[in-house]
Each structure stands twice: as structure tokens, then as C-alpha cells.
């Protein structure tokens, strides 16, 4: 059905959708992968945190209300009370139950750098989260490469197996003709037919596994893949000297990996936490204004005479300095220094492991290139031997076992050659991925 649809499109003059290349699959997978949405979440979180930090500079309003009863209140000296009594002046004093409804406004003048440190911490946390997301998406490329090259490998095997089936069918037709003419035995044709059926089963298995890989790749890239073969990527000329590089040449090649940027972001995050810890022990200065309605008011003498509520207000400058942070400041800074050392250790370990992986992959490229140089000769020799066996068949010298063995040997040699070629290409791309090239 799919073939008919493709044929109809060609006849209608409509262009078929091009198969995505490896680089396009990587890009499509990055855009379609659910983890890509975390970039927007990180940016939104950072915007909220920065907005909250900026609003700390705005005047801070607070409203409170209280009702108290106390065991004692300020009173006048007895001598003054007696004198007022002689003047017939009543001053009952303050009541022990008191009430207050208050509104207070505070404006920061200097907070010791806490707001700036909070902004720096929010930005550093956002940068570290984004770099961690970069690492996750970069690892996604290796999964796409595995699926892409897996499909290419099965395409090669299917094509080679189809050639083998055609070859077996051709020889089977010849043997059946010999059987009808009494030159060959029916068992000879049966042996070739059995091998043909086994090859068909193997072809079906290859096609099923390739289709499974196609479906998985389609899920990653978010689009259906046509039944046509994928585009085989080419090795960049600038990277053709990879086999000649020495071990020392890998020293600085890991600088472009997203993990290195992630280590830098984590180091910056530790520095931001260190700055926030240092400013936490500084004093704060600010303006304040209080206005309240209640009893007693600021005029205590008036409140001693009358229990009526009154309006009151006061403004001033306030300094606050908490010394509790000094108790744990040294230990907290020590923990941050340990965290920084741990990050540097992880950075060195990653650099070492990556260089080791690059050297290993480089050695694999050298091995595969040397082996591939002999594969063409091996395939040519296997083909020559198989053609000699077919020549014997045409000349009436029938040896079915030898013919099947020669066909199988040529098939295996051709498959090994194509697999090695794709393995070389995949290894080179793995090395490029390791070095972020």
C-alpha cells in the first residue's frame, strides 16, 4: 500500500518529503524531547525570583492589632497624687487593659548587600539548571546516533540479504531445470530451497528490527519516517586526520563539552552562596513610620486622665544587627569550600575519562580502517570462489553443499564489510560527539 502511495505521488508530480539527515534528527529530537520544556520553566522561575528580589527594595507595609492585660502600669508618685487631690484634679492612671491597632511602613536604606546577593544567587541557580539541561540534551544525541546507525546497518543487511535471495532463487531455478532433465537429484533442489526459505526468514527478522528502530526514531523526532532508506552521513574532511592524532592531542579538546560549562555554572553557584553567606552578618539600616490608634497613646499623662483611644504616629531611623550568623559562618564557608573542591575533582575526573574515551575511540577508528582495507579484497575473493562454484553447476558438476557454503561465505563477508564500514562511520561520529565537534 505504501509503495502504491509513493508511486501515485510521483505520478502526480508532487515532491516526496525528504528523509531527515542525522543532524536534522538530532535537532528534531532536541525540539521534540519533553525535557526541552524545562528551559522555559527555568527562565520563568528565574524571572519570578528576580522580581521578588527587586521588590524587597519597595516599602514594606505591616498591619497589626493587639489587646493586652498587664500586671502593672506606670503611676504618679504618691506626693504628686496627693497634691492633685487637694486641687480637686482626678487622675485615675493608666488601665491595665490596653489596646492598639497599628500600621507600620519600613523602607530599606542599606541592607548590607542582601538583595544583590539574592539576585546573584537566583541567576546562578538558573544558569546551573540550564547547563544541567544542556548535558541531558547532549546525551540525547548519542541515543539518536545509535538508532540512526542501527537503521542504516539493517538497511545494508536487508539489501545484502535480498541479493543473496536473488542469487539462491537463480540457482534454484537452474537446479529445478536440471531435475526435470534428470541431470540433478531432487534433494539438491530441496537443499537450495531450504536455504532460500531460511534466508527469507532472516530477511523478515532484519526488516522487523529495522521497522522497530524506525518507530523509536520517529517517536524521538516527532514525525513519521518514510519507508525509503535514510541518508548515510559523510565524514567531514576536517576530521579525516583523526586516526593520526596522538594521545597528547586530546588535552584541550573537551573544553567545548556542555559538562564543562555545567561545572563552571556550579562553581559560580557556590560563589553566589558564599557571597550571600557573607552579607548575612552585616547590619541593616532603614527608615520606618508607625501610626496606631489605641489606648494608651504616646501622651501618657493624657491617657492617665482619660481612657479614650487616640491617634499616634512616629517616624525614625532603625539599625538592626543580628550576630547569630557568626556562630555557624565559619563552618558554612568551610562546607562551600569543600563543595567547590568536589566540583573541581569531578571536573578533572570528567576531563580524564573523556580523554580516555577519545583515545579509545581513536584507536578503534585506526583498527576499523585497517580492517576495512582488507574487506574489499576478501569480498572479491569470496565472490570469485562462489562464481567458480556456479560455473561448475552450469557445466553439470553438481555439488550443492559446496555451492551453498560459497554463497553463505560471500554473504557473510559482504555483510561483515558493510557492517564494519558503518561501524567505522559511527565510531568517528562518536568521537566527534565525545569532543563536541
Amino acid at each position: 500500500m505504501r509503495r502504491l502511495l509513493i508511486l501515485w505521488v510521483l505520478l502526480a508530480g508532487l515532491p516526496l518529503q525528504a528523509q531527515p539527515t542525522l543532524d536534522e534528527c538530532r535537532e528534531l529530537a532536541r525540539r521534540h524531547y519533553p525535557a526541552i520544556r524545562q528551559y522555559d520553566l527555568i527562565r520563568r522561575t528565574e524571572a519570578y525570583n528576580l522580581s521578588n528580589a527587586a521588590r524587597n527594595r519597595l516599602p514594606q507595609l505591616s498591619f497589626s492589632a493587639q489587646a493586652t492585660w498587664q500586671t502593672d502600669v506606670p503611676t504618679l508618685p504618691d506626693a504628686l497624687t496627693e497634691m492633685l487631690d487637694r486641687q480637686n484634679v482626678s487622675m485615675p492612671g493608666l488601665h491595665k487593659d490596653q489596646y492598639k491597632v497599628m500600621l507600620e511602613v519600613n523602607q530599606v536604606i542599606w541592607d548590607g548587600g542582601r538583595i544583590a546577593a539574592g539576585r546573584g544567587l537566583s541567576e546562578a541557580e538558573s544558569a546551573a539548571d540550564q547547563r544541567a539541561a544542556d548535558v541531558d540534551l547532549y546525551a540525547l544525541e548519542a541515543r539518536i546516533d545509535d538508532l540512526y546507525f542501527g537503521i542504516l546497518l539493517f538497511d545494508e543487511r536487508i539489501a545484502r540479504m535480498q541479493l543473496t535471495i536473488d542469487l539462491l532463487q537463480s540457482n534454484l531455478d537452474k537446479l529445478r531445470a536440471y531435475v526435470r532433465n534428470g541431470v540433478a537429484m531432487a534433494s539438491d533442489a530441496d537443499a537450495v530451497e531450504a536455504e532460500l526459505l531460511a534466508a527469507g526468514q532472516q530477511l523478515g527478522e532484519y526488516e522487523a528490527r529495522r521497522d522497530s528502530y524506525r518507530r523509536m526514531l520517529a517517536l524521538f523526532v516527532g514525525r513519521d519516517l518514510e519507508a525509503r532508506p535514510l541518508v548515510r552521513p559523510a565524514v567531514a574532511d576536517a576530521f579525516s586526520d583523526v586516526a593520526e592524532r596522538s594521545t597528547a592531542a586530546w588535552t584541550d579538546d573537551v573544553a567545548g563539552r556542555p559538562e564543562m560549562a555545567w561545572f563552571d555554572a556550579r562553581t559560580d553557584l557556590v560563589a553566589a552562596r558564599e557571597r550571600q553567606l557573607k552579607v548575612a552578618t552585616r547590619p541593616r539600616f532603614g527608615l520606618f513610620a508607625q501610626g496606631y490608634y489605641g489606648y494608651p497613646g504616646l501622651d501618657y499623662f493624657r491617657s492617665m486622665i482619660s481612657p479614650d483611644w487616640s491617634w499616634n504616629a512616629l517616624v525614625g531611623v532603625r539599625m538592626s544587627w543580628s550576630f547569630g550568623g557568626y556562630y555557624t559562618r565559619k563552618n558554612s564557608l568551610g562546607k562551600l569550600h569543600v563543595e567547590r573542591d568536589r566540583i573541581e575533582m569531578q571536573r578533572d575526573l570528567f576531563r580524564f575519562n573523556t580523554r580516555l574515551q577519545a583515545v579509545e575511540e581513536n584507536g578503534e577508528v585506526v583498527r576499523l580502517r585497517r580492517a576495512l582495507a582488507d574487506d574489499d579484497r576478501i569480498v572479491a575473493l569470496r565472490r570469485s570462489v562462489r562464481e567458480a562454484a556456479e560455473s561448475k553447476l552450469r557445466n553439470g558438476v553438481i555439488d550443492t553443499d559446496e555451492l551453498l557454503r560459497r554463497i553463505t561465505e560471500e554473504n557473510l563477508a559482504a555483510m561483515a564489510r558493510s557492517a564494519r564500514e558503518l561501524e567505522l562511520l559511527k565510531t568517528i561520529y562518536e568521537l566527534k560527539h565525545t569532543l563536541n565537534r
Side-chain angles (χ1 to χ4, degrees):
M1 185 65 183
R2 182 182 294 271
R3 293 179 179 177
L4 293 177
L5 178 60
I6 294 174
L7 180 60
W8 179 84
V9 173
L10 289 174
L11 293 177
L14 299 176
L16 287 172
Q17 185 180 21
Q19 291 286 68
T21 63
L22 176 58
D23 292 335
E24 290 173 345
C25 284
R26 288 176 174 180
E27 184 60 29
L28 288 171
R30 287 177 64 91
R31 295 203 302 261
H32 187 259
Y33 199 53
I36 195 67
R37 294 196 295 269
Q38 65 183 311
Y39 283 101
D40 180 60
L41 299 177
I42 292 171
R43 286 191 292 267
R44 289 164 58 186
T45 301
E46 180 186 12
Y48 292 143
N49 290 335
L50 293 178
S51 178
N52 290 338
R55 294 181 183 184
N56 288 331
R57 296 188 181 277
L58 299 176
Q60 304 296 315
L61 300 177
S62 63
F63 177 81
S64 62
Q66 67 179 38
T68 63
W69 183 90
Q70 52 199 64
T71 59
D72 206 354
V73 293
T75 58
L76 295 176
D78 292 341
L80 181 56
T81 302
E82 292 175 359
M83 182 181 68
L84 292 175
D85 289 341
R86 287 194 296 269
Q87 299 295 327
N88 294 322
V89 176
S90 175
M91 186 172 288
L94 294 177
H95 294 182
K96 293 185 177 181
D97 52 323
Q98 300 180 3
Y99 310 90
K100 182 182 295 186
V101 179
M102 182 174 65
L103 180 66
E104 182 173 358
V105 180
N106 290 279
Q107 175 62 57
V108 174
I109 299 177
W110 186 70
D111 67 344
R114 289 175 175 82
I115 295 178
R119 288 178 58 89
L121 181 61
S122 297
E123 292 172 351
E125 288 177 342
S126 177
D129 291 340
Q130 290 186 21
R131 299 294 81 77
D134 291 342
V135 173
D136 293 338
L137 289 180
Y138 190 73
L140 176 65
E141 293 184 1
R143 300 175 64 183
I144 299 301
D145 290 355
D146 290 339
L147 291 174
Y148 197 95
F149 282 104
I151 294 173
L152 290 178
L153 177 60
F154 282 117
D155 282 341
E156 290 286 339
R157 289 182 175 178
I158 289 171
R160 185 62 220 179
M161 186 59 68
Q162 189 62 57
L163 292 176
T164 302
I165 289 176
D166 294 341
L167 184 62
L168 288 171
Q169 185 64 54
S170 174
N171 286 281
L172 178 59
D173 293 340
K174 294 176 184 178
L175 281 172
R176 284 175 175 171
Y178 291 159
V179 171
R180 286 194 298 271
N181 294 328
V183 178
M185 298 177 61
S187 60
D188 294 328
D190 292 342
V192 176
E193 185 177 2
E195 190 68 23
L196 179 62
L197 293 174
Q201 290 178 336
Q202 190 69 46
L203 177 64
E205 181 180 347
Y206 288 157
E207 290 176 339
R209 296 182 65 181
R210 182 196 59 184
D211 293 343
S212 177
Y213 275 43
R214 280 183 178 273
R215 287 192 294 270
M216 287 189 289
L217 184 60
L219 287 177
F220 274 108
V221 302
R223 57 180 282 190
D224 292 333
L225 299 177
E226 299 293 337
R228 293 170 288 118
L230 297 178
V231 180
R232 176 180 295 205
V235 181
D237 294 336
F239 211 71
S240 60
D241 63 338
V242 63
E244 286 75 25
R245 305 191 68 178
S246 62
T247 302
W250 308 113
T251 303
D252 299 324
D253 279 334
V254 298
R257 285 287 295 267
E259 289 87 349
M260 300 300 290
W262 181 47
F263 292 134
D264 291 337
R266 291 171 61 191
T267 302
D268 294 340
L269 178 58
V270 172
R273 288 172 176 168
E274 186 175 351
R275 287 192 296 270
Q276 188 181 49
L277 185 61
K278 290 179 178 178
V279 302
T281 55
R282 295 176 182 175
R284 302 182 184 185
F285 294 89
L287 300 174
F288 74 95
Q290 292 181 357
Y292 73 89
Y293 179 67
Y295 171 85
L298 296 177
D299 188 350
Y300 269 30
F301 284 101
R302 183 177 179 181
S303 297
M304 287 181 177
I305 296 174
S306 172
D308 295 336
W309 289 26
S310 61
W311 292 99
N312 305 270
L314 68 157
V315 296
V317 179
R318 175 180 294 156
M319 188 274 286
S320 61
W321 196 347
S322 175
F323 297 96
Y326 285 102
Y327 301 150
T328 59
R329 185 172 184 266
K330 182 177 180 180
N331 290 338
S332 298
L333 288 174
K335 289 173 60 179
L336 293 177
H337 293 162
V338 171
E339 178 66 16
R340 182 182 290 108
D341 293 340
R342 188 169 70 90
I343 294 173
E344 292 304 316
M345 181 273 295
Q346 292 176 351
R347 186 201 303 271
D348 294 338
L349 181 61
F350 170 77
R351 187 183 292 113
F352 174 82
N353 288 336
T354 303
R355 289 200 300 264
L356 185 64
Q357 182 180 357
V359 172
E360 180 181 0
E361 290 170 348
N362 182 53
E364 188 69 7
V365 169
V366 175
R367 181 189 69 82
L368 290 172
R369 280 183 170 174
R370 291 174 178 173
L372 192 61
D374 297 329
D375 279 337
D376 290 332
R377 180 59 178 164
I378 294 175
V379 172
L381 293 174
R382 294 297 186 189
R383 184 182 300 112
S384 176
V385 173
R386 186 261 304 168
E387 291 174 349
E390 288 181 328
S391 177
K392 291 180 180 180
L393 178 64
R394 287 192 299 270
N395 293 326
V397 181
I398 300 174
D399 190 343
T400 307
D401 292 338
E402 180 184 0
L403 176 61
L404 293 177
R405 185 169 64 253
R406 300 312 180 190
I407 293 175
T408 301
E409 289 173 350
E410 181 191 4
N411 182 45
L412 293 177
M415 283 190 175
R417 195 268 177 204
S418 60
R420 203 181 325 272
E421 184 179 18
L422 281 174
E423 185 180 1
L424 172 61
L425 186 59
K426 183 175 183 294
T427 304
I428 292 178
Y429 269 81
E430 287 176 350
L431 183 53
K432 292 175 64 176
H433 181 272
T434 300
L435 302 178
N436 192 25
R437 289 201 171 186

